[in-house]
PDB file of all heavy atoms in Angstrom:
ATOM      1  N   LYS D   2       0.498   2.210  -0.836  1.00  0.00           N
ATOM      2  CA  LYS D   2       1.310   3.439  -0.946  1.00  0.00           C
ATOM      3  C   LYS D   2       1.352   4.259   0.359  1.00  0.00           C
ATOM      4  O   LYS D   2       0.279   4.301   1.072  1.00  0.00           O
ATOM      5  CB  LYS D   2       0.790   4.323  -2.072  1.00  0.00           C
ATOM      6  CG  LYS D   2       0.900   3.688  -3.448  1.00  0.00           C
ATOM      7  CD  LYS D   2       0.577   4.638  -4.611  1.00  0.00           C
ATOM      8  CE  LYS D   2      -0.832   5.156  -4.401  1.00  0.00           C
ATOM      9  NZ  LYS D   2      -1.222   6.051  -5.512  1.00  0.00           N
ATOM     10  N   PHE D  23     -16.467  41.707   0.700  1.00  0.00           N
ATOM     11  CA  PHE D  23     -17.618  42.144   0.020  1.00  0.00           C
ATOM     12  C   PHE D  23     -18.624  42.719   1.104  1.00  0.00           C
ATOM     13  O   PHE D  23     -19.289  43.786   0.940  1.00  0.00           O
ATOM     14  CB  PHE D  23     -18.342  41.025  -0.631  1.00  0.00           C
ATOM     15  CG  PHE D  23     -19.754  41.356  -1.176  1.00  0.00           C
ATOM     16  CD1 PHE D  23     -19.927  42.164  -2.408  1.00  0.00           C
ATOM     17  CD2 PHE D  23     -20.955  40.984  -0.543  1.00  0.00           C
ATOM     18  CE1 PHE D  23     -21.131  42.407  -2.886  1.00  0.00           C
ATOM     19  CE2 PHE D  23     -22.235  41.299  -0.989  1.00  0.00           C
ATOM     20  CZ  PHE D  23     -22.311  42.024  -2.173  1.00  0.00           C
ATOM     21  N   VAL D  35     -27.759  55.505   1.824  1.00  0.00           N
ATOM     22  CA  VAL D  35     -29.119  55.613   2.349  1.00  0.00           C
ATOM     23  C   VAL D  35     -28.953  55.803   3.959  1.00  0.00           C
ATOM     24  O   VAL D  35     -29.458  54.902   4.719  1.00  0.00           O
ATOM     25  CB  VAL D  35     -29.942  54.398   2.032  1.00  0.00           C
ATOM     26  CG1 VAL D  35     -30.370  54.560   0.537  1.00  0.00           C
ATOM     27  CG2 VAL D  35     -29.268  53.133   2.327  1.00  0.00           C
ATOM     28  N   LYS D  38     -32.238  55.746   5.958  1.00  0.00           N
ATOM     29  CA  LYS D  38     -33.085  54.557   6.023  1.00  0.00           C
ATOM     30  C   LYS D  38     -32.430  53.471   6.825  1.00  0.00           C
ATOM     31  O   LYS D  38     -33.038  52.439   6.975  1.00  0.00           O
ATOM     32  CB  LYS D  38     -33.266  54.094   4.576  1.00  0.00           C
ATOM     33  CG  LYS D  38     -34.020  55.066   3.614  1.00  0.00           C
ATOM     34  CD  LYS D  38     -34.360  54.500   2.291  1.00  0.00           C
ATOM     35  CE  LYS D  38     -35.151  55.494   1.427  1.00  0.00           C
ATOM     36  NZ  LYS D  38     -35.425  54.987   0.009  1.00  0.00           N
ATOM     37  N   PRO D  40     -31.206  51.694  10.286  1.00  0.00           N
ATOM     38  CA  PRO D  40     -31.627  51.705  11.677  1.00  0.00           C
ATOM     39  C   PRO D  40     -30.673  52.580  12.551  1.00  0.00           C
ATOM     40  O   PRO D  40     -29.483  52.587  12.315  1.00  0.00           O
ATOM     41  CB  PRO D  40     -31.577  50.159  12.134  1.00  0.00           C
ATOM     42  CG  PRO D  40     -30.709  49.634  11.186  1.00  0.00           C
ATOM     43  CD  PRO D  40     -30.848  50.284   9.870  1.00  0.00           C
ATOM     44  N   GLY D  51     -32.832  37.534  25.369  1.00  0.00           N
ATOM     45  CA  GLY D  51     -33.606  38.222  26.482  1.00  0.00           C
ATOM     46  C   GLY D  51     -32.852  39.561  26.880  1.00  0.00           C
ATOM     47  O   GLY D  51     -33.426  40.260  27.734  1.00  0.00           O
ATOM     48  N   ALA D  87      -2.715  18.278   9.726  1.00  0.00           N
ATOM     49  CA  ALA D  87      -1.627  17.952  10.591  1.00  0.00           C
ATOM     50  C   ALA D  87      -1.731  16.486  11.117  1.00  0.00           C
ATOM     51  O   ALA D  87      -0.729  15.797  11.160  1.00  0.00           O
ATOM     52  CB  ALA D  87      -1.436  18.878  11.769  1.00  0.00           C
ATOM     53  N   ARG D 107      -8.603   5.232   8.316  1.00  0.00           N
ATOM     54  CA  ARG D 107      -8.551   6.447   9.146  1.00  0.00           C
ATOM     55  C   ARG D 107      -8.203   7.657   8.278  1.00  0.00           C
ATOM     56  O   ARG D 107      -8.707   8.765   8.388  1.00  0.00           O
ATOM     57  CB  ARG D 107      -7.493   6.347  10.284  1.00  0.00           C
ATOM     58  CG  ARG D 107      -7.812   5.292  11.349  1.00  0.00           C
ATOM     59  CD  ARG D 107      -6.855   5.395  12.518  1.00  0.00           C
ATOM     60  NE  ARG D 107      -7.207   4.254  13.420  1.00  0.00           N
ATOM     61  CZ  ARG D 107      -6.721   4.140  14.663  1.00  0.00           C
ATOM     62  NH1 ARG D 107      -5.849   5.106  15.112  1.00  0.00           N
ATOM     63  NH2 ARG D 107      -6.950   3.222  15.524  1.00  0.00           N
ATOM     64  N   SER D 130     -23.903  35.902   5.891  1.00  0.00           N
ATOM     65  CA  SER D 130     -23.559  37.303   5.378  1.00  0.00           C
ATOM     66  C   SER D 130     -24.686  38.015   4.671  1.00  0.00           C
ATOM     67  O   SER D 130     -25.044  39.213   4.943  1.00  0.00           O
ATOM     68  CB  SER D 130     -22.417  37.186   4.412  1.00  0.00           C
ATOM     69  OG  SER D 130     -21.213  36.683   5.068  1.00  0.00           O
ATOM     70  N   ILE D 152     -34.150  27.894   7.259  1.00  0.00           N
ATOM     71  CA  ILE D 152     -34.396  26.583   6.515  1.00  0.00           C
ATOM     72  C   ILE D 152     -33.102  26.379   5.621  1.00  0.00           C
ATOM     73  O   ILE D 152     -32.724  25.241   5.472  1.00  0.00           O
ATOM     74  CB  ILE D 152     -35.664  26.719   5.722  1.00  0.00           C
ATOM     75  CG1 ILE D 152     -36.879  26.668   6.628  1.00  0.00           C
ATOM     76  CG2 ILE D 152     -35.693  25.542   4.724  1.00  0.00           C
ATOM     77  CD1 ILE D 152     -38.174  26.947   5.947  1.00  0.00           C
ATOM     78  N   ALA D 155     -30.451  24.807   7.763  1.00  0.00           N
ATOM     79  CA  ALA D 155     -30.841  23.438   8.046  1.00  0.00           C
ATOM     80  C   ALA D 155     -30.576  22.485   6.872  1.00  0.00           C
ATOM     81  O   ALA D 155     -29.997  21.434   7.081  1.00  0.00           O
ATOM     82  CB  ALA D 155     -32.237  23.344   8.524  1.00  0.00           C
ATOM     83  N   TRP D 159     -27.975  19.372   6.694  1.00  0.00           N
ATOM     84  CA  TRP D 159     -28.407  17.950   6.245  1.00  0.00           C
ATOM     85  C   TRP D 159     -27.668  17.541   5.064  1.00  0.00           C
ATOM     86  O   TRP D 159     -27.262  16.339   4.916  1.00  0.00           O
ATOM     87  CB  TRP D 159     -29.854  17.990   5.911  1.00  0.00           C
ATOM     88  CG  TRP D 159     -30.414  16.652   5.657  1.00  0.00           C
ATOM     89  CD1 TRP D 159     -30.755  16.171   4.435  1.00  0.00           C
ATOM     90  CD2 TRP D 159     -30.668  15.546   6.624  1.00  0.00           C
ATOM     91  NE1 TRP D 159     -31.187  14.849   4.526  1.00  0.00           N
ATOM     92  CE2 TRP D 159     -31.135  14.468   5.912  1.00  0.00           C
ATOM     93  CE3 TRP D 159     -30.556  15.480   8.014  1.00  0.00           C
ATOM     94  CZ2 TRP D 159     -31.491  13.324   6.520  1.00  0.00           C
ATOM     95  CZ3 TRP D 159     -30.891  14.283   8.599  1.00  0.00           C
ATOM     96  CH2 TRP D 159     -31.319  13.169   7.811  1.00  0.00           C
ATOM     97  N   LYS D 186     -14.246   1.942  14.264  1.00  0.00           N
ATOM     98  CA  LYS D 186     -13.728   2.128  12.911  1.00  0.00           C
ATOM     99  C   LYS D 186     -12.927   3.551  12.929  1.00  0.00           C
ATOM    100  O   LYS D 186     -13.441   4.558  13.400  1.00  0.00           O
ATOM    101  CB  LYS D 186     -14.740   2.078  11.786  1.00  0.00           C
ATOM    102  CG  LYS D 186     -15.636   0.820  11.941  1.00  0.00           C
ATOM    103  CD  LYS D 186     -14.847  -0.411  12.078  1.00  0.00           C
ATOM    104  CE  LYS D 186     -15.700  -1.586  12.337  1.00  0.00           C
ATOM    105  NZ  LYS D 186     -14.938  -2.858  12.630  1.00  0.00           N
ATOM    106  N   TRP D 235     -30.157  31.794  14.692  1.00  0.00           N
ATOM    107  CA  TRP D 235     -31.091  32.772  15.116  1.00  0.00           C
ATOM    108  C   TRP D 235     -30.377  33.879  15.955  1.00  0.00           C
ATOM    109  O   TRP D 235     -30.632  35.112  15.804  1.00  0.00           O
ATOM    110  CB  TRP D 235     -32.165  32.129  15.981  1.00  0.00           C
ATOM    111  CG  TRP D 235     -33.374  33.102  16.261  1.00  0.00           C
ATOM    112  CD1 TRP D 235     -33.510  33.987  17.294  1.00  0.00           C
ATOM    113  CD2 TRP D 235     -34.495  33.216  15.414  1.00  0.00           C
ATOM    114  NE1 TRP D 235     -34.756  34.598  17.237  1.00  0.00           N
ATOM    115  CE2 TRP D 235     -35.412  34.154  16.001  1.00  0.00           C
ATOM    116  CE3 TRP D 235     -34.904  32.639  14.168  1.00  0.00           C
ATOM    117  CZ2 TRP D 235     -36.611  34.461  15.455  1.00  0.00           C
ATOM    118  CZ3 TRP D 235     -36.156  32.996  13.705  1.00  0.00           C
ATOM    119  CH2 TRP D 235     -37.068  33.894  14.373  1.00  0.00           C
TER     120      TRP D 235
END
Side-chain angles (χ1 to χ4, degrees):
K2 296 188 300 182
F23 172 81
V35 286
K38 295 183 179 181
R107 294 187 185 191
S130 295
I152 292 173
W159 184 257
K186 310 310 173 187
W235 193 270

